[in-house]
Structure formats: structure tokens, C-alpha cells
Amino acid sequence: MFKSILLHACRLQDLHDVGFEAGSRLWGARRRVGAAADALRRRRVGGLPPVFPNGWFAVLESCLLARGVHHVTALGLNLAVFRGESGRVRVLDAYCPHMGANMAVGGRVRGDCLECPFHNWCFDGRDGKCTAVPYSQKVPEFAKVRCWECRDVNGFVFVWFHAEGAPPAWEPQPVVAVDSASWAFAGRNEFLAACHIQEIPENGADVSHFNCLHGPGIGIPCLSRHLYEARWRPGEGERQHTAELQLNHELNLFGKVRLLSMHVKANQIGPGYVEMFLDTYFGPIVILQSVTPIEPLLQKVVHRMYCPPLLVPYAKIVLIGECIMFERDLQVLNHKQFQDKPMLVKEDRLISRYRRWYSQFYSENSPKNTLNTLDW
């Protein structure tokens, strides 16, 4: 497993791959897929906040847009994402208003327009208006599909979602490491998490969980332990849509020897995007995390890693550790109930502060969850 990650610098985990292992004492000999479906159907989800907050969400990685159109499911929507001949990325609702064909499945890019595969109606990627009906002398003025505000930055295609239809309140900013010729792409991972989107970044403010859940070492836990010191704070003024986590990390061997210290500065930008800057003993590493709701309680989490070229072998080892540590979170997230009124002690005060900060991304018409299970 580790060799595969190290060579290919990529780890893809489906929902049932973490926390539903076949043959375990909990699930017996049943297959993971069936075990996951049963567990999620039985789980009580708790008093959830709105399931889709307002903000920028990464719906696709930019490297996948070399050609053609891509069908993306996110935020309860079906989207057609493509790059026009101008080089600009365009995002439209996937379904043609004429006869309902999914234009992202078999559709063709014509200039900056998307052509429906059913009757060849064309829709402009800039505003969603129909530009051509090949067998009609007149194009209906009212024929259009929804065009989504999008940005192509930092290796992701971001879409702006707002329940009230408000325009973007901030812009995703480029990270120098992503496009710099002196930096290299070092790998990625991808996970599905069966939880509310708010619970994933909440881990940053839950500073106590670092030493409890992530403290035991990897491999033989009794020989090593990870030590964490964390501080979380929300942004203010024009930066109120951001929050910052400062994390000091050390590896302790045999309870005596400390080595491989690392400082992490993580900037949470909006409800579903984090930029992590790692200052390691061997050099700097940048990890970009996107969390995108696919359905109300199904999140797609992607981490993309960048570093100077000579640091790539070490960065891939860090990626292995990051995968393992995130899977520890998933073991909990895939089974937990959302506690809207958690029983906290004084040392947990940052969790309450985090929830007040995160509430800014909900508005009056933010979609609510109407089911108490994940049996969609």
C-alpha cells in the first residue's frame, strides 16, 4: 500500500473504504459496501445545520479540463464544466432546457459554447443563452441555461454558490507555489466522507483531538508518538470569511527523543477550502484542501501537494502520513452524530467560537436536510 502511494503520489478512497472493513469484529464477514450502507442507514445524524453553505467550492481539478466537457455532481446540482477555445473555464447547468438531455454526457465544445448531443442546440458559456438551433430559422430569446460564476485558480475550478443568489463576497487568490516554475506538484489524495461539511474543518478548532486521535505513532504506536500544539482563531474585518490554525508538530521516539519537527499554518478560506503551509526540517511544502458537498451528507475531500523539486521524495512520505492521519478522522466522521448542542468543557471553547464563525456561511434560504438517514 505505502509503495503504491509513494510511486504514484495518489490515493483514492471510496466511502466504504474507511471504517467499514470486511471481516472486522464489528461487521463480521459482510462486504464493506453492504456494511457501509447498513451503518449509514441506521445512523442518527442529529440536528444538522443547513447542508450547503454559501461560498466558493472546488467542483473539478483544472488538469482534467484539457479537452471536452465534464459532468460534475456537486451541491445537489448537475453541472457541465468545460474550457472554451478562449481558454476560459465555463460552468453551465448540465440539462438542456429543450428536451432535458445532459449536455455534459456526449456534448461538444464549440468555441466558447456547449452543444447539446440530442438536437445540437448551442449555449454560450459566458451567459448560458442559446446561440443556435440548427434546424430552426429563429433562436428562442427565452432559451437559456443557468451560467455559474466560476474561477480557475490553484489547480481547482471553483464555483460560487449562494442560496440567496448574492454575488461573490470574496475571490479565491492564487498561491505562488502552484504556478511557480521553481515548485513541483508532489501528489494528491481523494476521499469521500459521510458527514456534514461543517464537521471537517471543525477539526482545526477542536485542538484537543490532535493529541487524542493523531497522537499515536504510525506503524508501531508504542514506539513513537506525535505531539501537537495548536492555536485557532477567526479572521476579522475584510478577512472575516477566513480562519487560521497554527500547529506545531513533533515526532517523539521512545518517549525521549524528539525529531522531525514541523510548523503548519493553515488558512481556512470560506466553508470548504484550506491552504496549508508546512515549514518542515527539509524545506517548505504546500497542501491545498478542498471540501465539496456532493449530497447533503456526502463530502468529496481532495488534497493537492506542492514543494520544491528536490523535496518531492520527502513530500510523498509526508503525503503517506497525511493520508493515514486523515483516515483516522474518517473513522470517526463516517459514524458520528452531529451534536448541535455539544457538552463542552472550558478547554473546548474554540469549538463554540468556530461554530459562531462558520454560521456566517448560512442564510435564510440555505438548503436544509429533510431526512434522518443517508439512504438516498
Side-chain angles (χ1 to χ4, degrees):
M1 179 184 68
F2 291 172
K3 182 179 180 181
S4 174
I5 302 173
L6 192 59
L7 290 177
H8 302 289
C10 179
R11 184 173 178 84
L12 306 177
Q13 293 285 59
D14 206 343
L15 180 61
H16 58 266
D17 288 333
V18 182
F20 306 100
E21 288 77 3
S24 69
R25 294 176 59 187
L26 181 61
W27 305 116
R30 290 184 298 174
R31 295 169 57 244
R32 288 197 306 268
V33 176
D38 288 346
L40 296 177
R41 186 164 50 248
R42 291 193 299 264
R43 183 179 68 167
R44 295 293 178 179
V45 297
L48 295 173
V51 291
F52 300 145
N54 300 321
W56 290 102
F57 295 95
V59 296
L60 194 69
E61 291 170 79
S62 303
C63 60
L64 299 176
L65 276 179
R67 63 176 60 186
V69 57
H70 287 258
H71 177 215
V72 174
T73 302
L75 298 154
L77 305 167
N78 287 277
L79 304 173
V81 185
F82 63 98
R83 191 183 299 279
E85 289 185 359
S86 67
R88 293 283 301 275
V89 173
R90 311 294 185 184
V91 179
L92 301 175
D93 274 354
Y95 296 114
C96 178
H98 174 221
M99 292 292 287
N102 188 327
M103 298 186 292
V105 181
R108 291 171 288 273
V109 178
R110 304 293 192 192
D112 273 340
C113 296
L114 181 60
E115 182 184 84
C116 177
F118 201 6
H119 297 89
N120 300 141
W121 288 35
C122 280
F123 296 88
D124 197 322
R126 295 170 296 182
D127 55 16
K129 293 182 179 180
C130 183
T131 60
V133 178
Y135 54 86
S136 175
Q137 296 180 355
K138 185 177 180 181
V139 176
E141 294 182 1
F142 53 83
K144 66 179 300 184
V145 294
R146 181 168 181 177
C147 180
W148 291 85
E149 196 80 43
C150 64
R151 302 289 185 271
D152 181 14
V153 60
N154 295 333
F156 292 105
V157 175
F158 292 92
V159 164
W160 174 258
F161 176 88
H162 199 286
E164 319 300 327
W170 71 90
E171 292 288 334
Q173 300 298 316
V175 174
V176 174
V178 177
D179 295 321
S180 174
S182 60
W183 282 63
F185 173 69
R188 68 182 293 276
N189 59 38
E190 179 182 317
F191 300 89
L192 291 179
C195 63
H196 190 279
I197 182 175
Q198 179 177 313
E199 296 183 278
I200 296 177
E202 186 169 88
N203 277 346
D206 183 6
V207 295
S208 299
H209 101 284
F210 286 108
N211 286 308
C212 295
L213 184 62
H214 301 294
I218 297 171
I220 306 178
C222 62
L223 298 182
S224 63
R225 186 167 184 84
H226 299 271
L227 304 175
Y228 298 91
E229 179 184 339
R231 299 183 303 278
W232 180 92
R233 65 177 183 180
E236 299 177 351
E238 295 182 353
R239 301 284 296 171
Q240 67 179 3
H241 63 281
T242 69
E244 179 183 279
L245 171 68
Q246 297 277 353
L247 184 68
N248 291 318
H249 168 233
E250 289 184 343
L251 180 62
N252 186 302
L253 294 180
F254 310 109
K256 299 179 181 179
V257 182
R258 292 190 175 187
L259 71 163
L260 294 179
S261 62
M262 179 186 301
H263 176 76
V264 180
K265 178 183 177 183
N267 294 328
Q268 172 83 35
I269 304 172
Y273 175 63
V274 182
E275 297 173 351
M276 291 175 273
F277 301 91
L278 284 60
D279 183 11
T280 77
Y281 178 81
F282 297 101
I285 296 174
V286 171
I287 300 176
L288 306 182
Q289 179 196 65
S290 68
V291 183
T292 304
I294 299 175
E295 296 175 355
L297 293 175
L298 182 62
Q299 317 302 323
K300 178 180 177 181
V301 183
V302 173
H303 298 94
R304 293 179 61 87
M305 178 178 286
Y306 301 85
C307 66
L310 293 178
L311 206 62
V312 168
Y314 173 66
K316 291 183 178 181
I317 295 174
V318 173
L319 181 63
I320 294 173
E322 195 271 341
C323 289
I324 294 172
M325 290 300 182
F326 190 73
E327 287 181 10
R328 292 184 183 180
D329 287 316
L330 289 182
Q331 293 278 357
V332 176
L333 292 171
N334 284 345
H335 296 276
K336 74 185 296 291
Q337 179 187 55
F338 185 90
Q339 295 284 27
D340 55 335
K341 297 179 180 179
M343 187 179 298
L344 304 176
V345 297
K346 184 178 74 172
E347 288 76 11
D348 295 324
R349 60 187 178 275
L350 286 178
I351 296 176
S352 297
R353 194 177 181 191
Y354 163 85
R355 292 192 173 188
R356 290 194 297 271
W357 171 81
Y358 201 92
S359 67
Q360 68 181 295
F361 304 117
Y362 303 127
S363 55
E364 181 179 357
N365 292 313
S366 291
K368 308 292 195 301
N369 181 53
T370 58
L371 300 175
N372 197 39
T373 73
L374 292 181
D375 188 11
W376 301 101

